[in-house]
Amino acid sequence: MNLSLQATGTRNQLSDYRVLVAPGLHGSGPEHWQSRWQRLYPAFQRVEQPDWEQPDLPRWSQCLGQVLAEDGRPTVIVAHSFGCLAMVHRAAALQADNGSAQPIVAALLVAPADPVKFGVSAAVRRRLPFPALVIGSDDDPWMSAPRALHWAQAWGADFRNAGAKGHINADSGLGDWTVGQQWLLELLDSID
C-alpha cells in the first residue's frame, strides 16, 4: 500500500521541497525503504558517496554539501544510519559558514548510527537549526532506543520509537514503510 506524500490535510506539501535521501553504510539496497521511497517518488534524489563501505564523516558531509549546493530550493533530508551523522555534520558546517542561511528546512533521521561507535561525537553534538525527527528502534544493534533519544535531545529533534524493528532497514521487512511516510508528513507540518 502506498501512502501518498501529497496527502491533503498537511499544511506543507512535499512537492514544495527538494527531498534528498542520505543512505548509510552500503548505500541502502533495492529493498531498503529509502530505495523503495525513491521508486514511489521519483523526484527524491539520492546523495551518492564515493565509498559506501568507508564511513568517513568529513567526506560524506562534503558530498552532501555538494549536492545541496546544486539546487537552492528548500530541502528536506531523509537520512538513515551513518547518513544521519553526515547530515548533522553538514548542517553544523552550513550554519557556521552562512549564519542563518540554511538550505535544509527539515530532516527525518532514521536509526542513526551511534556517534560514539564511530568516534565522531564531538563533530555531531550540534543543535539543528530546523525541525527534525529521530526514529529509533528497541532492538537496533547500531544504537539503542535510549541512546537515540539522547541524541535526538542533543540535536533538538523530536523522537519516535518504532518498536522492535532492528536497524530499520531492508532486514526489518518494512516494505514501503507507510508509518515512516506518515511521520515524514507530520514533520512537514512543523516547517515554518
Side-chain angles (χ1 to χ4, degrees):
M1 179 172 102
N2 176 18
L3 174 71
S4 172
L5 288 179
Q6 309 309 324
T8 58
T10 58
R11 184 168 49 97
N12 296 312
Q13 302 299 312
L14 201 54
S15 60
D16 296 338
Y17 305 99
R18 177 184 189 204
V19 178
L20 295 182
V21 174
L25 289 173
H26 317 300
S28 296
E31 292 309 309
H32 192 287
W33 60 267
Q34 284 183 311
S35 299
R36 294 174 70 105
W37 284 13
Q38 282 189 267
R39 288 192 297 274
L40 291 170
Y41 307 102
F44 285 20
Q45 180 184 353
R46 181 175 295 240
V47 177
E48 294 290 345
Q49 296 295 337
D51 185 352
W52 287 112
E53 310 308 311
Q54 183 62 39
D56 181 327
L57 185 63
R59 179 178 287 178
W60 282 41
S61 173
Q62 181 181 19
C63 285
L64 175 56
Q66 289 168 346
V67 174
L68 282 166
E70 293 170 359
D71 186 329
R73 287 180 291 160
T75 301
V76 175
I77 307 287
V78 176
H80 180 258
S81 194
F82 197 80
C84 298
L85 304 184
M87 194 289 309
V88 172
H89 188 266
R90 179 51 34 193
L94 288 168
Q95 194 171 25
D97 290 345
N98 301 329
S100 61
Q102 182 70 251
I104 304 169
V105 296
L108 183 69
L109 305 173
V110 180
D114 193 331
V116 173
K117 289 182 179 181
F118 290 95
V120 297
S121 295
V124 297
R125 189 174 299 280
R126 304 285 190 272
R127 189 167 188 84
L128 297 171
F130 46 77
L133 176 60
V134 171
I135 310 296
S137 167
D138 286 331
D139 58 350
D140 186 342
W142 287 97
M143 179 149 50
S144 67
R147 292 285 301 150
L149 173 60
H150 164 81
W151 281 101
Q153 291 169 338
W155 296 329
D158 290 333
F159 177 78
R160 300 276 187 292
N161 187 327
K165 300 290 184 203
H167 193 45
I168 313 178
N169 57 12
D171 293 338
S172 302
L174 298 171
D176 293 340
W177 196 34
T178 55
V179 171
Q181 292 180 53
Q182 183 59 48
W183 283 332
L184 181 56
L185 285 173
E186 291 173 13
L187 178 62
L188 291 181
D189 279 337
S190 64
I191 299 171
D192 290 332

